[in-house]
Structures are given as structure tokens and as C-alpha cells.
Amino acid sequence: MTELRTTPLHELHLESGAKMMPFAGWDMPVSFAGTLDEHAHTRSSASLFDVSHMAVVDLDASAAEGLERLVPSAITTLGVGRCRYTAFTNEDGGILDDAIVTNHGDHLGLVVNASRRDVMLPHLRDHLGGAAVTERTNTALLALQGPEAVAVLADLGAEVGDLFSMEASATEVAGVPVWLSRSGYTGEDGGELCVPADRAEELARALLADDRVLPAGLGARDTLRLEAGLCLYGNDLDETVSPVEAGLSWTIQKRRREEGGFLGADRVLAELADGPGRLRVGLRPEGRRPARPPAALRTAEGNEAGVITSGTFGPTVGAPVAMAYVDPGAATVGTALVADVRGSDVACEVVDLPFVPSGSVRRPR
């Protein structure tokens, strides 16, 4: 068996009583006080997540034009200090990975999923040139999420007053230099902090010393992102799913729709024009029993309708929530469907996403 990798906060996690689990080749905390408590605390205050298992990749600033051949989003017009969520497509229009692109001024930064590191790094080097792609190996990535997160960061000296959602800058938190982006994966306000690995524990301890902050693990991260209607690669996204099917058409700006020129553009642009063969939707199962993947869905008439890709009990919603891919005819809000949950029928209704309103703070127009 391959030995699990550990993040710079591994010893702190053990000291804090974390329940650990293997995830994408890493030994990661799944919970500390318990997923439900960590979920609730993130919604009401601020939680600290270790996301150092994700790959942080630097690209030469000159790679922006080449990057537009790999994603359907506009990159060359991304302003300095701005972040953009996008999807890397393959030649068939399926999603290789979803990622955040940030313009650091002198270079571009990417954060890609840990489970896709071994796919994405060769893909980037093959298409952009090996010299233009560098994975950072001496940094840690922390996420402070929740309605109190920005106040906590400001109290520790971070210059966050001028940052809005999907904006980033270099600053210091508790005297530690960081690259701070006002982003996250919980649906709440907060920040993600890229920090030198040898100072990650120092920063984490400073954040956790604030009474408003508690540690949280992958369990709460998953329930939070699902309530926020956010995709998980390997569940809701894979190499067969297109950005249009996934409900990510909003990541494709007008210029890119008009000019194409990215891998898989023929399929993606055709689906934008004519509609896809399936759509990602939100579901509310009846009762208290979660409907988890890969539960099959059928219409009230008994016809096959799709499959659930993510499902759990939503602690904030107070009821089960799920996401699924369904036939276009079954994607209208209010449509009644039936899920086969381990041989039992569970009635479901198609609903709008997200299940919980976003807490992000957008720049005023």
C-alpha cells in the first residue's frame, strides 16, 4: 500500500483529537467535534479547514492565451487580483477538473482537486509547456469559512476591507505572509489562505486562538458544499459530464461562446444552442432518510429519469438534500420523481439550487 501523504497541519490535527481518514492519497481530518456541530458552527461563526491536499499550481503570465484553449472561460481578460471558477474540458467536452484561476499579476495561479493532480499536471504541461507549469510544494492552503471569518482575519491584521467575493491579494495574518482570496467551498463568506508550509501551524494556532473559530473536517465540508449546491468532482463532475449539463454555463463568457477555440467546444457550444441531454438539478427527498448516490430516479409514470450523484441530510435545511442528473423533461422545478434507495421508494421533488442562500459578498456594481 502507498503511504498516505500528510499536510503541514497533520500533528496539530492529531493534537486536536481529529478523526482521520484516507482521502485522495492523503491522511485528512474527517471531523473534530462531529460533522453536525462543525456544520452548524460554520453557518453561525467561523470554521478552519485544512485544504492543503489540493494542488496549488503556478503558471507563467504568458500562459493565459494557452489556458483559454483548455477552458471555456475568459482568462486573458481576468484582472489582477481577480479569481475565476472554471472547468477544464477534454476533447469530447467532458470535465477533466474544476478549478479556480487567479491572476497574481506576475503569474497565474490554479488550485486543482487532489484527486485530479495526476491528471491535471501532465495535461497542463503537455498543452502549455513544462516550463510554464510549476506545482508549489512548500505551501499550505487553509480555508476560514463562516459569517465571522472576515472579521477574524481583520482582527489578526489582514487587509480584507477592499476585497469582495472572488478577489484576492497578498497580506499578512497574525504576522504570517499569505495570499488571501475571498472564496471557499461552503456557501459562506470567508477566505482561503495560501501560506508558507513552515508557518502554517503558526497561522492555524493563531486563528484557532480566537473564540469564534473552531476546526472542521471533510465531513462538514461535504454537507456544507452540498447545501450550497456546489459540485464535487468524482460525484457530480467527471470526464463524461459537460459544463452545460453540470449547470456551469455561467462560467462561459459571451466572447468564448462566440469564438470557441477550446477543447470540446463543438459539444459545449452545441449544447448551449440546443440544450443538453441531461441536467444537474436539486432534489428534496420526502421524510428524513437521505437519498444517496447512485440511487436511480424514475418519473411518477415509472420511466427512467436519471441518477442521484450527491445526497445527505442537510443540517441547516433540517431535511435530506440531493443533487442529480436527470432528463431535460424531468428537470423543471416542482417535478415529482421517485428514488430507488436500497430497494425502497422515496418520493423526491426537483427544487432550485442552492438549498441555502449564499453568504458571499459581491462587489457593488
Side-chain angles (χ1 to χ4, degrees):
M1 293 181 64
T2 303
E3 184 176 354
L4 294 175
R5 300 176 68 178
T6 59
T7 76
L9 297 186
H10 188 259
E11 293 302 319
L12 179 58
H13 296 327
L14 297 180
E15 176 188 319
S16 303
K19 179 181 177 182
M20 308 295 289
M21 66 172 287
F23 181 80
W26 295 76
D27 194 23
M28 296 295 294
V30 64
S31 65
F32 293 84
T35 294
L36 292 179
D37 288 343
E38 292 163 25
H39 180 112
H41 189 80
T42 308
R43 291 279 188 240
S44 64
S45 189
S47 294
L48 182 64
F49 297 82
D50 181 6
V51 290
S52 304
H53 60 305
M54 301 183 77
V56 180
V57 182
D58 290 336
L59 306 177
D60 289 352
S62 60
E65 187 173 333
L67 200 57
E68 285 197 349
R69 292 193 288 271
L70 305 182
V71 302
S73 303
I75 304 299
T76 58
T77 53
L78 184 63
V80 175
R82 297 298 177 96
C83 311
R84 179 154 288 159
Y85 174 78
T86 190
F88 284 83
T89 47
N90 59 25
E91 292 181 354
D92 297 323
I95 297 175
L96 288 172
D97 196 17
D98 60 331
I100 298 285
V101 182
T102 303
N103 186 345
H104 291 255
D106 60 349
H107 70 281
L108 299 174
L110 289 178
V111 177
V112 302
N113 288 300
S115 64
R116 303 300 286 171
R117 171 189 269 104
D118 293 342
V119 172
M120 288 304 301
L121 286 171
H123 181 71
L124 290 167
R125 288 171 177 147
D126 286 347
H127 287 86
L128 300 179
V133 181
T134 305
E135 182 184 9
R136 292 194 188 185
T137 58
N138 60 348
T139 58
L141 193 61
L142 312 182
L144 188 69
Q145 300 284 287
E148 297 290 338
V150 169
V152 170
L153 293 170
D155 288 347
L156 288 173
E159 297 179 1
V160 294
D162 293 333
L163 290 183
F164 289 85
S165 178
M166 300 300 282
E167 298 179 0
S169 69
T171 186
E172 289 190 355
V173 179
V176 178
V178 304
W179 182 263
L180 168 63
S181 61
R182 197 162 180 179
S183 57
Y185 190 53
T186 63
E188 292 295 334
D189 193 13
E192 294 179 300
L193 303 96
C194 189
V195 55
D198 60 359
R199 302 196 68 181
E201 184 175 329
E202 174 189 349
L203 176 59
R205 289 187 183 276
L207 292 167
L208 291 169
D210 191 301
D211 290 340
R212 292 168 289 186
V213 180
L214 290 176
L218 294 178
R221 186 171 164 85
D222 189 53
T223 56
L224 289 159
R225 72 90 192 168
L226 180 46
E227 285 190 337
L230 301 176
C231 296
L232 174 64
Y233 197 92
N235 282 48
D236 313 297
L237 305 176
D238 60 37
E239 294 190 28
T240 70
V241 174
S242 77
V244 183
E245 290 176 330
L248 302 179
S249 299
W250 58 271
T251 67
I252 310 173
Q253 287 74 31
K254 180 180 178 181
R255 172 172 65 85
R256 303 312 318 277
R257 296 176 184 226
E258 293 174 347
E259 69 187 13
F262 55 89
L263 290 178
D266 287 348
R267 172 187 175 185
V268 173
L269 297 183
E271 289 181 351
L272 284 172
D274 303 325
R278 56 181 172 174
L279 288 166
R280 179 172 64 96
V281 299
L283 289 178
R284 283 288 302 269
E286 288 186 0
R288 306 284 289 180
R289 184 182 182 185
R292 304 186 190 277
L297 294 165
R298 65 180 189 274
T299 65
E301 295 75 29
N303 300 317
E304 292 183 2
V307 63
I308 290 175
T309 54
S310 284
T312 190
F313 186 87
T316 305
V317 176
V321 294
M323 293 194 300
Y325 281 92
V326 301
D327 297 333
T332 304
V333 170
T335 299
L337 297 173
V338 179
D340 181 356
V341 181
R342 297 184 179 180
S344 298
D345 288 348
V346 175
C348 302
E349 181 182 352
V350 176
V351 297
D352 282 323
L353 291 171
F355 299 100
V356 174
S358 172
S360 62
V361 180
R362 302 282 179 182
R363 179 174 289 279
R365 293 187 179 275

